[in-house]
Amino acid sequence: MADKQFDVLVIGGGPGGYVAAIRAAQLGFKTACAESNPYADPKGEPRLGGTCLNVGCIPSKALLHTSHLFEEAEHSFEGQGIKVSGGVSIDVPTMIGRKNKVVDQLTQGIKGLFKKNKVTFLAGHGSFESAGAGGYVVKVGNETVEAKHVIIATGSKPRHLPGIPVDNKIVCDNVGALDFDSVPKKLGVIGAGVIGLEMGSVWRRLGSEVTVLEALPDFMGFADLDVAKEALKVFKKQGLAIETGVTIGDTKVTKKGVSVAYTDKDGKEAKLECDRLIVSVGRVPNTDGLNAAAIGLNVNERGQIVVDGHCKSNLPNVYAVGDVVRGPMLAHKAMEEAVMVAEIIAGQAGHCNLDMVPGVIYTSPEIAWVGKTEQQLKAEGVAYRAGKIPFMANGRALGSGDPTGFVKMLACATTDRILGVHIIGANASELISEAVVAMEFGAASEDLARICHAHPTLSEVVHEAALAVDKRPLHF
């Protein structure tokens, strides 16, 4: 006999897990959520929020904000008539402390949401024991729990490279990169993905000499080609040294720091000497300790739990969401899947359209996109029209002192339906939502072109890009 019974048990307390638990409880189910990772909790107690809130999305944005303010004060204030006497300096421990306070506030806030919605928090790792007529028996810490429905939301963990041990002091993944105690003079970054570019940007702004080594031949090959070219140009101008097409060799930790041997794109041997190294080469699904085999849960060769379009596994009443299943490893994707699953369990029509999940890189300028890239449309043989407008043509961007980048809109040449929107520029992360809404409802570029946008706003560039699809922009 299990110690506790629930209608719904969620394993994992990250964005997918805690949202699934809250929505299930809102729908009237007796719900529990199991989480065991303490992250950096001073008491060693399990913390809700997962990678995103504790060592990912939220703390990185706090550091990006602080470092952006520092760079603005150092390089942009004087041009706007703002005098800073005595120069600008950064107090790294204070910056890290502020970041930690933001994390603490949000993780504690989830506990409050659990209390408000009557979700039971179980401190411990969820591990399947058996399946029976009454549901699934799961071991959580020292307790045995039985649940009719189980939602797995165990997230992902950093992928590490063989031969490069991560200690999160000198050689770091995302966890250590968020907690440097000082600004390294020279910083190496392996991987030019989202995490590498964001964390490289943070420490470059604060004074590090940053070199990014990328194995793939093309920079940001996942992005629209125009955006990738603009981003590379801007990042190099800012001072990021970026090398693509490299092969990483021996990496050694020395008394002075880290030595990375590599072969460049032309086959020449080279060596990067740095004080600290960030390894950011992607993430892998986390099914450690889940004991999936005990109940016959299907896990593929990549470590992902195999699910259908509604996140149902091969077993009745067992679902999985977020980084542990197919699709982009993004917190907002996990949350949408979580709501969908809870509503399906309740007999409702849950929905999550993976084709309309936006991607964002929070560098400066920000980069955001949704839908198809131009190279994808060409490869698929889809006839399209494109509209592209620079922020340089926008009054708000000029007045704010940051007119870098553009908005690019792609629409079907036959139906005018919007197929993709790609933005590089200030506040791209906020501007992309208009495109997501439009595309989710099957809008044409003309629909956005005929909607009144407030003036002066950055959103007018989206409006102008829609007009440009029909070759009739008004301000460019």
Side-chain angles (χ1 to χ4, degrees):
M1 186 70 180
D3 299 314
K4 296 177 180 178
Q5 288 85 30
F6 295 95
D7 298 321
V8 176
L9 170 65
V10 182
I11 302 176
Y18 79 75
V19 168
I22 289 171
R23 186 66 185 123
Q26 288 175 343
L27 291 164
F29 295 110
K30 184 181 179 184
T31 305
C33 181
E35 175 58 67
S36 62
N37 199 325
Y39 295 99
D41 188 87
K43 297 180 181 178
E45 297 177 353
R47 297 186 72 161
L48 293 164
T51 294
C52 175
L53 263 68
N54 289 281
V55 290
C57 316
I58 299 303
S60 63
K61 302 311 160 288
L63 296 187
L64 281 161
H65 178 70
T66 300
S67 62
H68 177 70
L69 292 178
F70 177 83
E71 188 169 52
E72 284 276 292
E74 195 170 41
H75 299 293
S76 300
F77 276 12
E78 187 174 353
Q80 299 195 47
I82 302 173
K83 303 291 184 181
V84 181
S85 59
V88 182
S89 62
I90 184 70
D91 183 335
V92 173
T94 298
M95 176 181 74
I96 298 297
R98 174 188 171 274
K99 177 262 296 181
N100 291 339
K101 287 179 182 177
V102 172
V103 170
D104 291 344
Q105 181 177 341
L106 289 172
T107 54
Q108 290 300 315
I110 298 173
K111 284 188 176 181
L113 290 172
F114 272 16
K115 185 176 181 180
K116 174 185 175 183
N117 290 281
K118 297 180 173 59
V119 175
T120 300
F121 175 40
L122 302 175
H125 187 81
S127 179
F128 285 104
E129 289 199 336
S130 62
Y136 296 88
V137 177
V138 180
K139 190 76 172 178
V140 181
N142 297 320
E143 294 183 310
T144 302
V145 176
E146 186 176 51
K148 297 175 185 175
H149 305 270
V150 178
I151 303 172
I152 302 165
T154 46
S156 63
K157 56 188 177 181
R159 176 184 281 113
H160 291 169
L161 292 174
I164 307 180
V166 171
D167 61 8
N168 274 326
K169 294 185 183 300
I170 302 300
V171 180
C172 304
D173 55 25
N174 61 291
V175 177
L178 293 163
D179 269 330
F180 288 175
D181 54 6
S182 62
V183 179
K185 184 177 179 181
K186 291 186 177 181
L187 174 65
V189 179
I190 299 179
V194 176
I195 296 171
L197 291 174
E198 290 185 355
M199 297 315 301
S201 293
V202 166
W203 297 107
R204 178 203 61 75
R205 294 170 187 170
L206 298 178
S208 288
E209 181 183 319
V210 180
T211 300
V212 181
L213 303 177
E214 169 59 51
L216 294 175
D218 298 319
F219 177 69
M220 282 177 51
F222 52 83
D224 186 88
L225 188 58
D226 282 351
V227 170
K229 286 180 178 179
E230 179 74 5
L232 183 59
K233 180 183 73 175
V234 173
F235 293 154
K236 284 188 172 182
K237 185 177 179 181
Q238 291 174 347
L240 280 180
I242 300 172
E243 292 193 46
T244 58
V246 310
T247 301
I248 303 296
D250 291 337
T251 300
K252 298 177 181 178
V253 176
T254 67
K255 291 182 178 180
K256 293 182 178 180
V258 189
S259 175
V260 181
Y262 66 96
T263 305
D264 69 14
K265 63 181 179 180
D266 298 319
K268 295 179 181 178
E269 293 185 358
K271 187 171 286 188
L272 171 64
E273 303 284 352
C274 50
D275 300 298
R276 281 180 170 168
L277 178 69
I278 298 174
V279 179
S280 56
V281 291
R283 300 181 65 83
V284 293
N286 181 23
T287 55
D288 296 349
L290 193 60
N291 199 18
I295 58 171
L297 181 64
N298 192 358
V299 179
N300 67 19
E301 66 281 356
R302 298 179 63 186
Q304 297 169 326
I305 296 172
V306 179
V307 294
D308 65 11
H310 291 104
C311 290
K312 296 178 182 178
S313 75
N314 63 306
L315 301 174
N317 300 329
V318 177
Y319 301 80
V321 302
D323 289 4
V324 80
V325 302
R326 79 286 177 269
M329 289 184 168
L330 298 169
H332 45 282
K333 174 257 195 184
M335 290 189 277
E336 286 302 302
E337 288 179 330
V339 171
M340 172 184 71
V341 166
E343 293 179 350
I344 286 173
I345 292 172
Q348 298 180 9
H351 168 81
C352 179
N353 184 357
L354 294 183
D355 292 332
M356 297 302 156
V357 175
V360 180
I361 305 177
Y362 295 86
T363 47
S364 180
E366 291 185 347
I367 300 165
W369 65 92
V370 64
K372 301 281 188 178
T373 64
E374 188 167 2
Q375 57 265 36
Q376 284 176 323
L377 294 178
K378 286 180 179 178
E380 294 168 7
V382 176
Y384 64 92
R385 297 187 298 167
K388 181 178 171 183
I389 299 293
F391 281 98
M392 186 66 75
N394 178 262
R396 180 68 183 275
L398 286 169
S400 300
D402 190 5
T404 305
F406 56 81
V407 176
K408 180 177 179 180
M409 187 174 295
L410 304 167
C412 176
T414 305
T415 66
D416 194 36
R417 186 169 183 163
I418 302 171
L419 302 175
V421 176
H422 307 272
I423 306 173
I424 176 168
N427 291 347
S429 59
E430 305 293 343
L431 296 174
I432 198 64
S433 292
E434 178 178 8
V436 176
V437 172
M439 291 174 66
E440 188 67 69
F441 284 90
S445 70
E446 185 181 1
D447 292 324
L448 286 187
R450 294 192 178 277
I451 291 173
C452 183
H453 289 65
H455 174 78
T457 61
L458 298 177
S459 68
E460 289 178 286
V461 184
V462 178
H463 181 234
E464 289 283 333
L467 287 166
V469 170
D470 195 36
K471 293 182 173 53
R472 55 188 184 94
L474 297 171
H475 296 92
F476 183 73

